[in-house]
Amino acid sequence: MKRTSAHVHQPAARTVTRAALVLPRPKRIGLIRCLLLMAMSVAASWAASPVSLDIAVKSIGAPQPPHVVGDVLILSFRPDQPTRFVGVRFAHESWSVLHPCARNDKGMFVLDYEIPEGVRELRYRIVEDGLWTTDPSNPDTDVDPSGVAFSVYTLTSEPVRTVINPKATDGGLTFVFNGPPGKRVALVGDFNNWDPFMDLLAETAPGTYTISLRVPPGGHWYYFLSEGRRILDRHNAQTGVTPDGVTVSYFESTP
């Protein structure tokens, strides 16, 4: 039976078999391979990578209209007078969260804000040393019932999102696997005693499979199994190697 909801795994049995080998400490891979894995994970899409995002933020030398890099909204602001702090508040967060902007080498205050899933219109205000104002680089504004103006940025389409496994959600940890549609995909790891039948992923979209589960705190090793093949998680840059020389994926779960 496929599991589509989150469930709790108890620690794996202590008995070690050839299929459930005790693994060494995880092996962190180099930057070049990490970037290659990130490039593979977006499958030639334009999701924001750390490199492209860093370039987008550092290269801003003048105020620009809001724009999106992958799934990240870029806002830029240059004060007319000496300013110690610039931040941004959003309406979909009930204006309660203040996101601080970083100041780049060109004197620009820049915010790179990951767009929440399901949000297609971003209403926001800039906070300059405690004073709220609209974004002077964005001509699209609106006014609330009390007459307070705010800036508006509307997405023309759902942004392409970068997948990084595992992702913490309300259901525990969520894993995503991309591959051919209509296949049987299992998550196999030390947290389920390397059982290839216990944790089957649900195909939530053609070729996209997901599963959410809870695991005990600590380091864990795993791989995906599809069509009889062990598949390394290309959305996770951390790996470990079994005594048999098999490379598997690795992650750390916090309480």
Side-chain angles (χ1 to χ4, degrees):
M1 177 181 298
K2 290 188 177 182
R3 301 188 181 193
T4 57
S5 59
H7 48 281
V8 179
H9 281 300
Q10 299 299 325
R14 293 183 179 275
T15 302
V16 178
T17 65
R18 187 172 181 82
L21 296 171
V22 177
L23 303 178
R25 295 178 62 185
K27 179 180 65 177
R28 268 63 174 183
I29 64 177
L31 176 61
I32 298 300
R33 186 180 171 197
C34 178
L35 293 177
L36 288 174
L37 285 171
M38 289 180 178
M40 290 171 59
S41 70
V42 298
S45 66
W46 291 101
S49 71
V51 175
S52 63
L53 191 59
D54 185 59
I55 293 175
V57 170
K58 290 184 177 180
S59 63
I60 297 177
Q64 298 179 1
H67 58 283
V68 173
V69 177
D71 58 352
V72 175
L73 175 69
I74 305 295
L75 299 175
S76 57
F77 179 77
R78 171 173 286 165
D80 295 329
Q81 55 189 4
T83 301
R84 292 184 299 175
F85 177 85
V86 174
V88 180
R89 294 182 186 268
F90 294 92
H92 64 270
E93 297 173 337
S94 301
W95 309 105
S96 60
V97 180
L98 179 59
H99 299 272
C101 297
R103 192 166 190 169
N104 65 17
D105 296 337
K106 302 179 185 300
M108 293 294 303
F109 286 92
V110 183
L111 175 69
D112 52 327
Y113 177 75
E114 184 176 348
I115 302 170
E117 294 186 13
V119 175
R120 297 295 292 272
E121 183 178 80
L122 294 155
R123 302 183 175 193
Y124 65 97
R125 302 192 74 197
I126 291 178
V127 182
E128 179 185 357
D129 281 346
L131 299 178
W132 295 38
T133 182
T134 57
D135 184 352
S137 300
N138 184 1
D140 192 0
T141 60
D142 203 346
V143 180
D144 66 14
S146 62
V148 177
F150 53 85
S151 298
V152 181
Y153 180 79
T154 303
L155 280 73
T156 57
S157 61
E158 178 68 16
V160 178
R161 300 186 181 277
T162 303
V163 178
I164 299 178
N165 283 336
K167 179 180 180 180
T169 61
D170 293 339
L173 296 177
T174 296
F175 295 80
V176 176
F177 176 87
N178 297 111
K183 302 298 182 179
R184 178 188 181 277
V185 181
L187 180 65
V188 184
D190 61 356
F191 42 80
N192 60 17
N193 206 25
W194 304 97
D195 188 335
F197 304 100
M198 185 173 185
D199 292 313
L200 301 182
L201 282 69
E203 190 170 7
T204 55
T208 299
Y209 304 80
T210 63
I211 188 172
S212 296
L213 68 163
R214 298 184 186 278
V215 301
H220 296 283
W221 293 266
Y222 70 100
Y223 57 84
F224 292 110
L225 183 67
S226 181
E227 302 296 304
R229 294 173 50 241
R230 293 184 180 185
I231 303 174
L232 194 68
D233 187 354
R234 63 182 182 182
H235 299 312
N236 182 359
Q238 297 191 78
T239 60
V241 180
T242 69
D244 286 349
V246 178
T247 300
V248 292
S249 297
Y250 172 85
F251 71 94
E252 293 184 2
S253 176
T254 58

